[in-house]
Amino acid sequence: MEMLLVYLLLGAVAGTAAGLLGIGGGLIIVPALVLIFSATGISPEVLTHMAVGTSLATIVITSISSVWAHNAKGAVDWHLFWIMTPGILVGSWLGGVTADLLPGAWLQLLIGVFAIIMAVRMGVSGLRAASQKESDDRLPGSLPLICSGGVIGWLAAIFGIGGGALIVPYLSHFAVKMQRAVGTSAAFGLPIAISGSLSFVVQGWGNKLLPHWSSGYIYWPAFLGIVLTSVLFAKFGANLAHRISARRLKLYFAILLCIIGIRFIWQNFNLLAGLS
């Protein structure tokens, strides 16, 4: 019961951040679950994979409500969605396969580096005035879009995120309006999460190091607690966003991500030192 309360609290924090900052909850869920699983004595060999797999499973649920809301406003480009989805599905599955091949320490290093990259990106956008400068480039043909979807799905599954941090900048580069880029990105979160989480189930199936109540690398008590509160608090965060300075919030969150990234990298520094 005590751990369920912890997962409920994590879901509330992740949901609020998602609604407040327009980011995917995975950026908070994955690092938090790594710390929680470590504190509860889960094997270091599987805890990071469980954090990523469980995060992807929660995104299956949370993305449905997000897609529904964006589609109601006409902000989802379904034509683009169906073109890129085959690549997204294949890439997300391969992301699960790739993560399974990586030792837990390597996976934490990659997550740490990714967190710092996101921190820098968010910090820069928070410091400068919002710019609506758009590229004159147009969206490429179907094959490049499918391949791009594959790469995005692959990276998103490895990091346990819905892909918004990757898809929105990609679409914005090709002059897709921000509202449409965000809405379409939310739609892509569903195939990323479904394919990625199924891959993590298959890759982890039968692993004797996994705790009870796991299906592969998905840990259901954490999934249940996070989902129960994240959807509700995403609405709370969205309402709160209208009362608080978005610029200041981005800076604060960038600092938090930077701390998380540095901690993960420092914690596994011996691995890097062994390569030199």
Side-chain angles (χ1 to χ4, degrees):
M1 180 60 70
E2 180 181 339
M3 289 312 301
L4 179 58
L5 292 176
V6 171
Y7 298 133
L8 288 169
L9 178 60
L10 173 56
V13 172
T16 300
L20 198 59
L21 301 167
I23 61 161
L27 282 172
I28 288 183
I29 293 171
V30 173
L33 285 181
V34 167
L35 298 178
I36 294 170
F37 290 160
S38 178
T40 54
I42 293 175
S43 171
E45 294 183 35
V46 298
L47 67 86
T48 309
H49 300 79
M50 286 175 57
V52 176
T54 304
S55 173
L56 287 169
T58 65
I59 294 170
V60 173
I61 306 301
T62 56
S63 66
I64 292 174
S65 60
S66 179
V67 173
W68 186 278
H70 284 292
N71 186 56
K73 297 179 180 179
V76 179
D77 187 331
W78 290 109
H79 176 69
L80 181 60
F81 174 85
W82 291 115
I83 291 176
M84 292 182 68
T85 289
I88 290 278
L89 291 171
V90 173
S92 301
W93 182 274
L94 292 178
V97 175
T98 303
D100 186 52
L101 294 174
L102 295 171
W106 270 106
L107 195 52
Q108 286 192 34
L109 276 173
L110 289 176
I111 292 170
V113 171
F114 180 72
I116 290 176
I117 291 172
M118 291 297 99
V120 171
R121 181 172 172 268
M122 187 169 288
V124 169
S125 68
L127 285 171
R128 68 187 179 190
S131 171
Q132 291 297 321
K133 181 181 178 182
E134 295 179 343
S135 166
D136 291 331
D137 296 333
R138 293 178 180 264
L139 283 168
S142 296
L143 183 58
L145 285 173
I146 292 171
C147 293
S148 298
V151 173
I152 289 169
W154 179 68
L155 290 171
I158 290 175
F159 298 127
I161 62 174
L166 304 169
I167 296 171
V168 172
Y170 175 77
L171 295 181
S172 297
H173 173 74
F174 292 107
V176 176
K177 290 183 178 179
M178 183 56 67
Q179 292 87 344
R180 202 160 187 80
V182 171
T184 307
S185 170
F188 282 126
L190 189 56
I192 286 173
I194 291 174
S195 180
S197 58
L198 285 176
S199 182
F200 272 85
V201 168
V202 172
Q203 307 311 318
W205 197 264
N207 191 318
K208 295 180 180 179
L209 296 175
L210 294 170
H212 294 299
W213 304 105
S214 297
S215 295
Y217 290 126
I218 297 178
Y219 186 52
W220 294 112
F223 167 86
L224 179 63
I226 293 168
V227 166
L228 283 175
T229 52
S230 61
V231 174
L232 295 175
F233 276 82
K235 296 177 182 178
F236 168 73
N239 292 331
L240 200 61
H242 296 285
R243 307 178 203 171
I244 302 176
S245 167
R247 178 181 176 184
R248 183 174 297 178
L249 283 169
K250 283 186 176 182
L251 289 175
Y252 290 159
F253 190 72
I255 293 170
L256 174 62
L257 279 180
C258 201
I259 292 171
I260 291 171
I262 291 171
R263 186 186 188 282
F264 274 30
I265 292 172
W266 181 257
Q267 199 172 28
N268 297 278
F269 183 74
N270 289 337
L271 182 64
L272 283 175
L275 297 176
S276 59

